[in-house]
Amino acid sequence: MQKTREDSNVRQNEVYSKNEKNLGYFIVKRLIDIIGALCGIILVSPVMIVVAIWIKIDSKGPIFFAQSRVGQDGNRFMMYKFRSMCTNAEGLLHKLEEENEMSGPMFKIKEDPRITKIGKFIRKTSLDELPQLINILKGEMSLVGPRPSLPKEVAQFTSFQKQRLVAKPGLTCYWQVNGRSDVSFEEWMEMDVEYLMNRNTIVDIILIFKTVGVLFGDDKAS
């Protein structure tokens, strides 16, 4: 157990040290974020318009969903998504908590009754995430980084898991392209820390290209 704790402390020190030293990488990363987000908005704007209309026709309620998430250094921001659930989804959550299929503080069930018909499709194709391109332009998120967590989830993180907050949350990450719903919470956190220890421009570009495949459908998305 002592060795495990020592290994964990070493990894934490490496993550924080790399965050302080990689100034050139962060400048390039921000440029890629701005260019990528702008190009993304231009290229997928017709798709976003169709999705917006479809959501409005499919169910009552707003087209977009904004939710408080925890970003870099623990700062909160409003993350944008296309609405994929019924408008009273939060109120119904307590009735479904016993069916949670995710370990740790996260909540996820494959057959969530709160998800709308269009919601199932845009979640499966990750189209619900496209409005986060706005968060990227605002500097609250990055194209690549740990997925942003809810405040109530972060409150239950261990010190090891809180290392995720060193970086800006991202639109995609190792978890996003490597299993998603089939990955346990602990494995997910490990993946995020592994990314933080090894991230560089090449790694980010590879993850961005891998994510393109997810946009065309992922059987493990939900």
Side-chain angles (χ1 to χ4, degrees):
M1 179 64 71
Q2 182 64 33
K3 187 176 186 302
T4 301
R5 288 176 179 173
E6 289 176 355
D7 289 345
S8 178
N9 288 334
V10 169
R11 293 177 72 186
Q12 289 184 51
N13 290 334
E14 288 183 14
V15 168
Y16 290 118
S17 177
K18 287 186 177 182
N19 187 61
E20 293 173 353
K21 294 178 180 179
N22 294 342
L23 180 60
Y25 161 68
F26 294 124
I27 293 174
V28 173
K29 186 178 180 69
R30 182 58 184 152
L31 288 173
I32 291 174
D33 284 344
I34 293 172
I35 295 170
L38 285 172
C39 290
I41 290 173
I42 293 170
L43 290 172
V44 303
S45 56
V47 176
M48 294 178 73
I49 292 171
V50 171
V51 171
I53 294 172
W54 198 355
I55 290 172
K56 203 64 181 175
I57 293 173
D58 182 57
S59 62
K60 294 181 179 180
I63 293 171
F64 299 101
F65 174 71
Q67 189 177 48
S68 177
R69 297 293 178 110
V70 180
Q72 188 174 29
D73 299 326
N75 296 316
R76 296 191 185 188
F77 69 99
M78 296 304 293
M79 187 188 78
Y80 309 123
K81 300 181 73 170
F82 278 122
R83 181 176 60 85
S84 61
M85 290 186 172
C86 58
T87 53
N88 62 333
E90 289 297 317
L92 297 173
L93 179 59
H94 70 283
K95 297 181 180 179
L96 302 169
E97 288 179 341
E98 292 183 357
E99 300 178 37
N100 189 15
E101 299 170 1
M102 194 77 174
S103 57
M106 318 293 281
F107 177 85
K108 185 180 285 289
I109 55 177
K110 289 183 179 178
E111 298 299 326
D112 195 326
R114 301 173 300 165
I115 300 176
T116 63
K117 291 179 181 178
I118 174 63
K120 291 181 180 179
F121 175 76
I122 63 176
R123 279 173 168 243
K124 184 178 179 60
T125 55
S126 297
L127 292 174
D128 62 321
E129 311 285 1
L130 290 179
Q132 287 158 46
L133 292 171
I134 301 299
N135 290 119
I136 293 171
L137 283 178
K138 292 172 67 178
E140 299 163 334
M141 290 180 62
S142 176
L143 287 173
V144 182
R147 290 295 296 154
S149 298
L150 293 165
K152 64 180 181 181
E153 295 168 347
V154 174
Q156 300 179 60
F157 282 180
T158 64
S159 58
F160 176 79
Q161 293 160 357
K162 285 181 179 178
Q163 292 177 95
R164 302 170 79 248
L165 305 181
V166 166
K168 286 182 182 180
L171 186 64
T172 190
C173 58
Y174 282 157
W175 169 81
Q176 194 83 357
V177 299
N178 287 294
R180 300 177 72 176
S181 295
D182 285 349
V183 176
S184 70
F185 172 75
E186 290 73 20
E187 291 172 323
W188 180 357
M189 298 298 103
E190 286 282 347
M191 284 183 180
D192 284 343
V193 174
E194 194 67 26
Y195 165 73
L196 294 175
M197 291 180 65
N198 299 296
R199 59 181 171 165
N200 56 55
T201 303
I202 299 300
V203 169
D204 286 352
I205 291 173
I206 290 173
L207 281 170
I208 290 170
F209 276 105
K210 282 187 175 182
T211 304
V212 174
V214 176
L215 292 176
F216 290 99
D218 182 356
D219 292 336
K220 296 173 182 176
S222 60

